[in-house]
Amino acid sequence: MYDLNFFNKQAILVHTIFPKKKEDENFDLKEFLSLASTAKIQILSILTSNCKTCNSKYFIGTGKVLELEQMVKNNPVSIVLFNCILSPHQERDLMHLLQCKIIDRNQLILNIFAQRARTYEGKLQVKLAQLRHLNSRLVHEWSHLERQKGGIGLRGGSGEMQLESDRRLLRKEITQVLLRLKKIENQREQNRRHRLRIGVPTVSLVGYTNAGKSTLFNMMTESHVYTAEKLFATLDPTCRRIVYKGGSNIILSDTVGFIQNLPQGLISSFKATLQETIQATLLLHVVDVSNERFEQNIDTVRYILNNMHIHNTPILLVMNKIDRLKKLVPRIDRDHDSRPIRVWISAQDNLGISLLIQALNELLLNNMISYELRMPINNDLCQKLYRLQVVKQYWVEDNNYIRLKIYLSSIDWCRLLKNNKLLIDYVI
């Protein structure tokens, strides 16, 4: 197909700044340098471009393009990295002008994900995202080709474009990957239904990449998930069942870290994995408080969660890495109703973990959960739910079915499941 491997190469980095844009809409140079380091790309030189407007042809202005062209000629580089998101046209025009590989922010992240994926599912998800990205740029890769000449035994007389052939191969490969991921998604759905049946709450770790989620996961579950001071050190989801003395029996899941403008292709490709987050009983939002941009990182995670339609799931902020700052000690911050809203810890030094477990148990003890059900309108269970006063909304369908949105405690849910075995089959 195409060679998407550009690790262990030398590159020039182009960092763009738009003064009129909000601060969080301009990508951080330090973070992008970390991405390049993670990809094992050696940065020989950095070109900073203060752009008032985006150039439709090259993204950066004509003067900066000429400066960049000279830098490429004077340095032994095979790659130019752009700390921005380029259109297919801009990528093609820059590649033709500079005669080297052009990598934008999205493609760099995609390839880091490809390098980090370890499990069969993770590799499939990254492959799907790469194929979709490649498909969006395929037309420009082959725009220089003419139609192959037809001949004896060839269809169409004039033959077919190389582009059409590659498109067909890409569609076939994307379909095959989707089918494999569907099987994995079905297995996850069975596991989820099993957890619903036995009434075990799921707690999901979310947060900005390199915030310390996997370190915290290892500490709480006595596991050995790979950790490192790198962006996207772990991608593959991990779930463990844990029981604390006098506390809750829960499923704890570790998920992929987020980043500014995480490529949409990755979010859609990791749909099955992110279901663990979407359907979690409680989210632990892990924050690296030693990062000077931690407030912007919190906003980024919240933005992505909103895009995933996660609005009503309770969230506990876990302010991690307090050992790197002075005058910070482990503590629990509470709201006006004395509910835990923030816990200050250091997962690396095992500081405040007991306080986190205490806050976790407090939130889960009185945990309220919401489910949407679809069942026959004359079902006895429907009447029982109304009598329990747990129905918050309902919709009557044309085929004598009713959809109910219920809101109740996890304890009442477990009781209902125990006495009504068919209830799990009605969960949407």
Side-chain angles (χ1 to χ4, degrees):
M1 186 79 60
Y2 296 99
D3 181 16
L4 295 180
N5 181 21
F6 46 81
F7 296 102
N8 298 311
K9 300 287 181 67
Q10 294 179 324
I12 291 173
L13 190 156
V14 179
H15 177 60
T16 56
I17 301 173
F18 289 89
K20 291 184 179 180
K21 286 193 174 183
K22 296 178 183 178
E23 183 181 351
D24 56 355
E25 290 179 351
N26 285 308
F27 298 123
D28 184 33
L29 176 59
K30 183 179 178 182
E31 181 177 86
F32 196 67
L33 286 171
S34 296
L35 285 171
S37 175
T38 300
K40 300 178 181 177
I41 296 177
Q42 181 185 358
I43 304 299
L44 296 185
S45 186
I46 300 175
L47 175 66
T48 301
S49 175
N50 292 289
C51 305
K52 294 182 179 179
T53 58
C54 176
N55 185 298
S56 60
K57 187 174 179 64
Y58 297 121
F59 193 86
I60 57 178
T62 307
K64 286 293 181 180
V65 170
L66 294 175
E67 187 178 343
L68 177 60
E69 186 178 13
Q70 194 61 42
M71 291 174 68
V72 171
K73 290 179 180 178
N74 295 338
N75 291 276
V77 298
S78 56
I79 296 172
V80 174
L81 290 177
F82 275 78
N83 189 14
C84 59
I85 300 172
L86 300 172
S87 71
H89 287 284
Q90 291 165 342
E91 183 180 323
R92 179 201 60 188
D93 292 339
L94 285 164
M95 184 175 61
H96 288 172
L97 175 69
L98 303 175
Q99 293 300 302
C100 64
K101 186 71 175 176
I102 305 299
I103 305 297
D104 70 355
R105 181 185 175 86
N106 274 5
Q107 193 171 348
L108 181 61
I109 294 174
L110 284 172
N111 281 268
I112 292 173
F113 268 54
Q115 186 191 45
R116 290 281 183 261
R118 293 289 179 268
T119 65
Y120 175 67
E121 179 188 9
K123 291 177 180 178
L124 282 178
Q125 290 168 328
V126 174
K127 184 177 181 179
L128 177 61
Q130 284 186 318
L131 288 171
R132 285 171 168 169
H133 180 81
L134 183 58
N135 191 45
S136 69
R137 278 155 164 72
L138 192 61
V139 63
H140 306 287
E141 294 287 340
W142 291 103
S143 60
H144 63 286
L145 293 181
E146 297 178 354
R147 283 187 175 272
Q148 301 168 355
K149 292 183 179 179
I152 299 174
L154 297 178
R155 295 180 299 167
S158 59
E160 68 173 355
M161 292 174 62
Q162 180 67 47
L163 170 61
E164 293 167 351
S165 174
D166 282 357
R167 274 178 171 168
R168 186 165 58 251
L169 289 172
L170 272 177
R171 284 197 298 267
K172 182 178 179 181
E173 197 164 359
I174 288 173
T175 300
Q176 290 174 346
V177 173
L178 284 171
L179 288 174
R180 293 170 191 161
L181 283 173
K182 185 63 178 176
K183 291 181 181 179
I184 297 173
E185 187 177 350
N186 291 339
Q187 181 61 48
R188 284 189 177 277
E189 179 63 19
Q190 291 179 13
N191 294 339
R192 184 181 75 89
R193 284 181 169 271
H194 175 69
R195 292 198 294 266
L196 286 174
R197 189 176 290 112
I198 61 178
V200 177
T202 300
V203 177
S204 186
L205 295 170
V206 299
Y208 209 79
T209 183
N210 203 28
K213 298 185 303 302
S214 296
T215 301
L216 178 59
F217 181 87
N218 288 339
M219 183 64 65
M220 296 179 69
T221 63
E222 298 181 358
S223 300
H224 302 283
V225 173
Y226 174 73
T227 62
E229 282 291 328
K230 297 179 181 178
L231 301 182
F232 307 117
T234 53
L235 295 181
D236 303 306
T238 309
C239 296
R240 294 287 186 274
R241 184 166 179 164
I242 55 178
V243 181
Y244 292 111
K245 187 177 296 185
S248 303
N249 182 1
I250 67 172
I251 299 292
L252 185 67
S253 68
D254 185 18
T255 58
V256 63
F258 299 146
I259 198 170
Q260 277 192 83
N261 284 71
L262 190 65
Q264 190 59 40
L266 276 176
I267 295 177
S268 58
S269 297
F270 276 70
K271 177 184 175 184
T273 303
L274 294 173
Q275 284 296 106
E276 297 292 343
T277 301
I278 295 171
Q279 296 160 352
T281 310
L282 173 69
L283 298 181
L284 297 185
H285 181 174
V286 184
V287 180
D288 176 7
V289 292
S290 68
N291 189 322
E292 58 185 14
R293 292 174 55 88
F294 79 88
E295 291 180 348
Q296 291 96 318
N297 293 347
I298 290 175
D299 292 338
T300 296
V301 173
R302 286 173 175 167
Y303 176 78
I304 294 174
L305 292 176
N306 284 333
N307 283 350
M308 292 165 59
H309 306 292
I310 300 176
H311 306 293
N312 300 319
T313 305
I315 298 177
L316 176 65
L317 280 172
V318 181
M319 315 304 282
N320 191 27
K321 303 187 182 182
I322 62 172
D323 56 294
R324 300 185 179 185
L325 299 174
K326 297 179 180 179
K327 298 181 181 180
L328 284 181
V329 295
R331 70 176 191 270
I332 299 177
D333 294 339
R334 300 176 181 273
D335 62 13
H336 296 300
D337 298 321
S338 294
R339 286 173 57 88
I341 55 174
R342 274 184 303 272
V343 184
W344 299 76
I345 70 160
S346 170
Q348 184 70 41
D349 291 355
N350 194 15
L351 296 174
I353 302 299
S354 59
L355 292 177
L356 175 60
I357 295 170
Q358 176 188 332
L360 197 61
N361 286 329
E362 285 184 41
L363 291 171
L364 292 175
L365 183 63
N366 299 313
N367 177 56
M368 300 298 289
I369 54 180
S370 177
Y371 291 114
E372 192 170 323
L373 312 175
R374 183 179 183 273
M375 65 181 67
I377 199 168
N378 56 356
N379 193 304
D380 292 339
L381 182 57
C382 181
Q383 305 302 322
K384 186 173 184 178
L385 292 171
Y386 272 102
R387 287 197 298 271
L388 290 173
Q389 297 182 343
V390 298
V391 178
K392 297 302 177 185
Q393 286 180 290
Y394 72 92
W395 304 267
V396 178
E397 299 182 351
D398 295 335
N399 52 359
N400 290 324
Y401 270 75
I402 188 170
R403 291 166 64 110
L404 304 171
K405 189 169 186 179
I406 61 173
Y407 185 71
L408 70 172
S409 69
S410 55
I411 296 175
D412 289 337
W413 172 253
C414 291
R415 288 172 181 165
L416 279 171
L417 285 174
K418 186 176 181 180
N419 298 323
N420 303 273
K421 302 297 182 183
L422 293 178
L423 177 59
I424 193 67
D425 296 326
Y426 297 140
V427 176
I428 299 177

